[in-house]
């Protein structure tokens, strides 16, 4: 993200790069004390460098006594999304009983609604290019359009299927012929948890 800029000094560039790397590793900016400790400089010197970087349009500083009030310009904000690994609490899918850690996702993907992530365990949607091991990010909502990929409960089981509603009847459609469409006669028997908004696939054992 950061490139050498004639407007800033080498020390300011180093601080800018450190802030960016710290953000990537921790999903929040460093404090002035942490910057000073890293570069072995006094906190007053850190303040001067940060004010200079703000004046030159590289960062913005949030006032009001916030210890982590540094914001990089044009830097995507990461959100920690809960990973749904167990279904112990069907009333709140993102409860602590159901989660196994968090996954950092760009806020552009998650939006302002609550979000959660599920690792695909079945090839029910293989025909749509969704493989076992893929991670699907869902935005929490209770209304979706026909044909959208959703996560929801029916008869106590969590399904990831394409959703269709015809009058008061719900169809949960897979993209694999080995998994027949589930027809639900009463729409109230199906609880929508969220709509899929992103697929994350990790590549391993491949040279790119």
């Amino acid at each position: 993200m950061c490139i050498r800029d004639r407007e800033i000094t080498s020390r300011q560039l180093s601080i800018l790069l450190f802030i960016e790397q710290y953000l990537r590793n921790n999903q929040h900016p460093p404090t002035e004390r942490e910057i000073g400790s890293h570069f072995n400089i006094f906190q007053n010197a850190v303040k001067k460098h940060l004010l200079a970087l703000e004046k030159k349009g590289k960062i913005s500083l949030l006032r009001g006594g916030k210890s982590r009030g540094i914001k990089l310009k044009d830097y995507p904000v990461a959100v920690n999304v809960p990973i749904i690994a167990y279904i112990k609490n069907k009333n709140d899918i993102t409860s602590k009983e159901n989660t196994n850690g968090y996954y950092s996702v760009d806020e552009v993907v998650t939006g302002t609604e609550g979000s959660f992530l599920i690792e695909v365990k079945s090839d029910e949607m293989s025909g749509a290019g969704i493989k076992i091991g893929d991670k699907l990010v869902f935005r929490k909502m209770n209304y979706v359009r026909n044909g959208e990929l959703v996560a929801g409960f029916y008869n106590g089981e969590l399904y990831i299927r394409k959703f269709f509603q015809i009058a008061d009847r719900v169809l949960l459609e897979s993209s694999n012929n080995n998994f027949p469409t589930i027809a639900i006669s009463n729409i109230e028997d199906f609880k929508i948890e969220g709509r899929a908004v992103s697929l994350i696939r990790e590549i391993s054992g491949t040279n790119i």
Side-chain angles (χ1 to χ4, degrees):
M1 173 186 167
C2 299
I3 58 174
R4 184 169 294 278
D5 193 320
R6 292 180 181 178
E7 293 182 357
I8 64 178
T9 67
S10 58
R11 173 64 82 185
Q12 290 165 6
L13 177 61
S14 296
I15 290 174
L16 199 57
L17 291 170
F18 173 73
I19 294 170
E20 180 182 350
Q21 189 60 51
Y22 193 99
L23 269 166
R24 291 186 187 280
N25 293 340
N26 301 279
Q27 285 76 57
H28 58 73
T31 63
E32 292 179 359
R33 186 183 300 276
E34 287 166 337
I35 296 172
S37 176
H38 180 82
F39 290 99
N40 196 26
I41 57 177
F42 291 112
Q43 195 167 340
N44 283 341
V46 173
K47 287 180 182 291
K48 289 180 181 178
H49 287 308
L50 292 178
L51 288 171
L53 286 169
E54 182 181 43
K55 186 176 180 181
K56 294 170 184 178
K58 305 303 178 183
I59 65 173
S60 58
L61 298 174
L62 305 178
R63 270 66 181 184
K66 292 189 176 182
S67 62
R68 298 189 185 277
I70 304 169
K71 184 178 180 182
L72 286 180
K73 294 293 182 70
D74 302 321
Y75 188 87
V77 177
V79 176
N80 287 328
V81 174
I83 301 169
I84 308 305
Y86 326 101
I87 303 298
K88 297 179 180 179
N89 182 350
K90 296 181 176 65
N91 295 320
D92 180 7
I93 195 169
T94 58
S95 65
K96 289 184 178 181
E97 301 100 304
N98 294 345
T99 61
N100 181 24
Y102 294 84
Y103 198 95
S104 183
V105 180
D106 195 323
E107 189 180 46
V108 173
V109 173
T110 63
T112 56
E113 304 94 342
S115 299
F116 58 92
L117 181 148
I118 297 176
E119 185 172 326
V120 177
K121 303 292 186 182
S122 165
D123 57 0
E124 292 175 82
M125 299 305 299
S126 59
I130 300 172
K131 303 178 180 180
I132 294 174
D134 287 347
K135 297 177 176 64
L136 288 171
V137 179
F138 293 85
R139 287 186 189 175
K140 289 200 75 173
M141 56 185 63
N142 53 24
Y143 173 80
V144 295
R145 296 184 178 89
N146 281 348
E148 290 186 321
L149 186 64
V150 305
F153 285 106
Y154 173 60
N155 279 348
E157 297 291 330
L158 181 67
Y159 289 92
I160 298 174
R161 295 283 187 95
K162 283 188 177 182
F163 173 90
F164 294 91
Q165 180 183 347
I166 304 172
D168 289 333
R169 192 165 177 254
V170 171
L171 300 178
L172 301 179
E173 188 179 280
S174 76
S175 62
N176 183 332
N177 291 333
N178 294 324
F179 296 87
T181 297
I182 297 172
I184 305 172
S185 58
N186 186 352
I187 189 172
E188 293 183 359
D189 291 337
F190 180 64
K191 181 188 177 187
I192 298 172
E193 291 292 344
R195 173 175 61 87
V197 293
S198 182
L199 182 148
I200 300 169
R201 178 170 298 155
E202 297 180 357
I203 300 174
S204 59
T206 304
N207 292 323
I208 300 178

